Amino acid sequence: MAKLGKKAKETKEAAAQQIPENEATPAEQAAAVQQLAAPLPSKLELTSPQKAAAVIVSLGADKASQLYKYMEPEDVEQLTVEVAKLGFLDSNQTEDVLNEFLQMCMTNKAVTEGGLEYAKTVLEKAFGTQAAENLLSKVTKSLKNREFAFMNKADVKALFSALQYERAQTIALVLSYVDPDKAAGVVAQLDEKKQIQVVENIAKMESASPLAVQIVEAEMSKKFSSIVTNANVKVGGIDYVADVMNNLDRSSEKNIFDGLSVHNQDLAEEIRKRMFVFEDIITMDDRSVQRFVRDCDPRDLVLALKAANSEVANKLFANMSTRMAQSIQDDLEITSNVRMKDVEEAQQRIVDIIRDLEEKNEIIILKGGKDDIIA
């Protein structure tokens, strides 16, 4: 069993005083331990599972056993192994881990009681904007993965069978909790009218309230395992629907955009912008790159490359004439003090050219592994 140093013991006692039972329930503390165990970057030398084990050791057997009741059996098994391997705990590391644990407990409580917006306000006051965003990101991912993980185990056929006769709003909510490729598989099988409705609902969705999820749970209880949530979890949105669209076949994509453009041109255009960004140039075949480069303003290429990564730059230079590449590289060396706004606008103009050429079938944009190129 791991041992605690003197300072770590003092930290443990302080932590126990700061987390009275009426401040964070065992369920919230269990959630915090599971979030600590998630494989996320940390400045600590301890691994994420070791951090979770450190909390269990610090809380003691009685409190740890209460937390175990709210964890999955595989999580308990993993924690038990980590506790057994933990060894001697450095007091500074223990103190840092317990402080992080306290923050996660506070975050879970704020989210549970008031939803994400309320939690964000509380956490920003307590820890500052950046720390609040980091904490909320960790919690929302944990909530989404934990509450709806069973849906990702279902295949596309099962999902479509369960959802095909549901309202567009219900389908949109459910699909917001599955992987984009599976969501695309379901959308592709819907009738054309419902395809448009579902995509529009996903794009406009920002969060799922507990009441909305409870309604879905009642409607879907015979088709899926229970859907339960205690907080507003960010789902859907334009970025997500862009991922879905990237996984659709060309026919379904065209139908959706044609229909969506009739009554919501701005939304259709915004989704298109998210589907292909400047950095995606590296996924294009050489002939397509050579084709769109011919239509680009050299000045736009210079501006765009000021903030481009090496992969994009190498891709572009490799598909230019030697003379053109040298000219742009020379201009890059003497171009300085460029506004980021000008760079982004230049990149967007290049992306617009690429999208326009694809519409005319003059170039190819690879989409989610759905396209095969025949030389």
Side-chain angles (χ1 to χ4, degrees):
M1 177 62 71
K3 298 180 180 179
L4 292 172
K6 180 179 180 181
K7 185 176 180 181
K9 289 181 179 179
E10 294 173 353
T11 304
K12 170 187 170 182
E13 293 173 359
Q17 293 175 358
Q18 294 181 60
I19 319 177
E21 292 183 1
N22 63 341
E23 289 295 329
T25 66
E28 289 161 353
Q29 293 184 39
V33 170
Q34 289 175 304
Q35 288 152 15
L36 283 174
L40 294 174
S42 173
K43 295 181 179 179
L44 298 174
E45 293 181 5
L46 291 176
T47 65
S48 296
Q50 285 174 332
K51 290 195 293 181
V55 171
I56 293 298
V57 172
S58 299
L59 292 177
D62 291 339
K63 287 188 176 181
S65 65
Q66 294 299 313
L67 269 58
Y68 280 171
K69 296 178 182 178
Y70 298 91
M71 295 182 183
E72 296 295 329
E74 55 266 29
D75 292 334
V76 174
E77 182 179 345
Q78 182 186 16
L79 274 173
T80 301
V81 172
E82 291 298 332
V83 167
K85 297 191 303 182
L86 196 56
F88 183 81
L89 286 172
D90 176 87
S91 59
N92 290 328
Q93 290 178 326
T94 303
E95 185 174 8
D96 288 340
V97 169
L98 290 177
N99 284 334
E100 185 176 353
F101 173 63
L102 285 169
Q103 291 182 359
M104 296 309 303
C105 287
M106 291 176 62
T107 304
N108 285 325
K109 186 172 182 64
V111 170
T112 300
E113 291 185 348
L116 288 182
E117 288 303 316
Y118 171 78
K120 183 178 180 182
T121 301
V122 172
L123 295 172
E124 284 180 347
K125 291 181 179 179
F127 306 115
T129 302
Q130 188 59 50
E133 290 179 356
N134 292 339
L135 289 168
L136 282 176
S137 175
K138 198 169 186 179
V139 170
T140 53
K141 287 178 182 177
S142 175
L143 284 171
K144 183 173 180 180
N145 292 337
R146 186 170 66 251
E147 305 296 357
F148 290 89
F150 68 91
M151 298 184 64
N152 277 318
K153 296 179 182 179
D155 58 23
V156 172
K157 183 178 180 180
L159 285 172
F160 174 72
S161 177
L163 295 171
Q164 59 181 321
Y165 300 117
E166 296 295 329
R167 295 168 298 172
Q169 296 93 327
T170 301
I171 297 174
L173 177 60
V174 174
L175 292 185
S176 294
Y177 286 95
V178 303
D179 294 333
D181 59 334
K182 289 185 179 179
V186 173
V187 172
Q189 298 181 67
L190 299 172
D191 63 70
E192 294 183 352
K193 182 179 179 181
K194 187 166 282 189
Q195 280 184 335
I196 298 168
Q197 294 173 336
V198 169
V199 167
E200 188 171 12
N201 273 281
I202 295 176
K204 291 181 177 180
M205 194 178 300
E206 293 184 355
S207 65
S209 68
L211 178 59
V213 176
Q214 287 172 10
I215 293 173
V216 172
E217 177 187 9
E219 293 179 351
M220 307 295 293
S221 59
K222 294 182 180 180
K223 301 176 182 179
F224 288 114
S225 300
S226 60
I227 301 175
V228 181
T229 186
N230 292 319
N232 291 336
V233 179
K234 184 173 178 59
V235 294
I238 295 176
D239 285 331
Y240 180 85
V241 84
D243 283 340
V244 172
M245 297 291 284
N246 275 329
N247 283 277
L248 281 176
D249 59 272
R250 297 283 180 176
S251 176
S252 296
E253 177 196 328
K254 185 178 185 304
N255 168 66
I256 291 171
F257 275 127
D258 287 347
L260 198 56
S261 297
V262 172
H263 66 281
N264 200 331
Q265 178 64 41
D266 290 341
L267 178 59
E269 185 62 23
E270 187 60 32
I271 294 173
R272 283 185 186 276
K273 288 180 180 178
R274 306 291 179 90
M275 287 178 65
F276 184 90
V277 295
F278 183 75
E279 288 73 17
D280 292 331
I281 287 172
I282 62 174
T283 67
M284 298 176 66
D285 65 284
D286 289 343
R287 289 184 180 179
S288 293
V289 177
Q290 292 163 17
R291 174 63 188 88
F292 83 73
V293 165
R294 294 206 306 266
D295 288 359
C296 293
D297 184 327
R299 178 60 180 168
D300 280 345
L301 289 170
V302 172
L303 288 173
L305 286 170
K306 287 297 290 185
N309 60 48
S310 59
E311 286 185 288
V312 174
N314 292 337
K315 184 75 171 182
L316 287 171
F317 286 135
N319 287 285
M320 297 177 186
S321 67
T322 302
R323 181 178 179 181
M324 184 179 186
Q326 187 60 54
S327 176
I328 289 178
Q329 288 174 337
D330 291 341
D331 287 344
L332 276 170
E333 291 181 4
I334 63 175
T335 301
S336 59
N337 298 324
V338 178
R339 293 185 306 174
M340 193 62 199
K341 178 176 180 292
D342 294 333
V343 172
E344 291 173 348
E345 288 177 352
Q347 290 181 347
Q348 188 57 54
R349 284 192 291 272
I350 294 173
V351 169
D352 290 341
I353 290 173
I354 293 172
R355 295 211 324 264
D356 183 60
L357 289 172
E358 189 206 18
E359 287 290 327
K360 297 175 181 177
N361 291 320
E362 293 188 34
I363 64 173
I364 295 173
I365 296 177
L366 297 179
K367 297 175 52 185
K370 302 297 182 183
D371 291 318
D372 294 321
I373 296 178
I374 302 176

